[in-house]
Amino acid sequence: MVARPHREAPLEEFVLELHGCLRMQEVQDAFVRYANRLVPAQAHGIYELDADTGALSVQTRGVNDEFLAEYEAVGRQIDPVFAGVATRHDPVSSDLFWDDDAWRAEPIYDVLGRGDIHHLLQAPLVVEGRLVGTLNVASPRAAPAFGHDETDRLRFIARHVSVAYARAQRVETLERRCTITDDLLDVLNVPLLAHTRDGTIFFANRAADRLLAVHLDERGAAALRSALRRNATALADGTRRVVSESFTLPTRGDVGEWQPRLRRPQGRCTALAVRTTALPHVADAVVSFVYALPTVLATPLPGLSTREQEVVELVVRGLSNRAIAEAASISENTVKQHLKRVYAKLDVHSRAELAAEAAWATADPDSPFTSA
């Protein structure tokens, strides 16, 4: 004996499909596809509404575009069913709220008549107390009226569609924010890398992609990833929010040092600085900025004396304390005292961090890592 299908099967199928909808269009498509099985009628529609501009999008079956255009142009503002739904946030049936003569006397009736509509049932889609759309069901005069059963069923459907709308709105808002964020990061001249503690990169902006794909060979990329790992490890104990490091690029045996755009005043880039910062709400990921290490600082670092600035520039060039002392005509002990004060002022702890901080503070706006 074959079991008879359960009368609620279409409704259950519809609700289950709604649970998988992540976009407004998917929600609308699902309703239109199931609508006639849920509340049989000649026409069905689902509207996404804006409080100021009216319908943002419409999905319908059983009515033509000409009628829809006329309804939006002149009908909605005189539609008492829609007004009741908007006010009550509850379904309204023309058959339950008006007797036949009163309904036919309503100004909206002439507009509906041009769409061969007599019976009209609407239910609100409400998100966080705000009307965001409606479900519309309509039939000609010869069709059965929309009574309490149809009204109750459409109320139940509308509540589920409202939940799906809320979810879809959140997903679409998040997608828009992600797109905007990606675009903002891509316009940065500075390479930006989001990576895990072990140096695995899971996001790179356009400048970082160019750095890895064009400017660094395999050894250079490996050296960069090692720096990412070291910085991430230094942040792991939670005592510091930012760590910086600089490192010399391995010499490329085929063409030697790579040459960035010619107008870059610093000339060839032979070292990189990596500045890594912890993310306040993400424990297992950090973000790093990468700079070409300058051989000449374009602008003075804030808070440093002229002599301290000179020492920093010599450190950036890779000179030892003894070489700095000879170049600046001071004692090696004086060099150490200058560096001690510089470390304290800039909150760094090593020559590598100092060089990286110098790169950060005087970042070249004409970055060699961006597209020409």
Side-chain angles (χ1 to χ4, degrees), residues 98-158:
W98 292 268
D99 62 33
D100 191 67
D101 290 339
W103 177 237
R104 290 167 65 88
E106 289 286 343
I108 186 63
Y109 193 79
D110 289 338
V111 177
L112 297 177
R114 286 189 281 278
D116 193 23
I117 292 173
H118 175 81
H119 307 286
L120 183 60
L121 171 61
Q122 295 184 25
L125 302 177
V126 179
V127 175
E128 297 180 350
R130 182 172 59 90
L131 182 70
V132 299
T134 60
L135 303 182
N136 293 20
V137 183
S139 288
R141 185 175 181 81
F146 295 127
H148 291 289
D149 287 347
E150 291 78 14
T151 301
D152 290 343
R153 172 165 284 227
L154 197 63
R155 178 185 292 110
F156 177 84
I157 294 167

Side-chain angles (χ1 to χ4, degrees), residues 334-353:
T334 300
V335 172
K336 293 178 181 178
Q337 293 304 313
H338 282 313
L339 285 177
K340 183 177 180 180
R341 288 193 292 272
V342 168
Y343 285 1
K345 289 180 178 180
L346 299 182
D347 191 26
V348 298
H349 303 80
S350 68
R351 300 171 82 89
E353 283 193 56

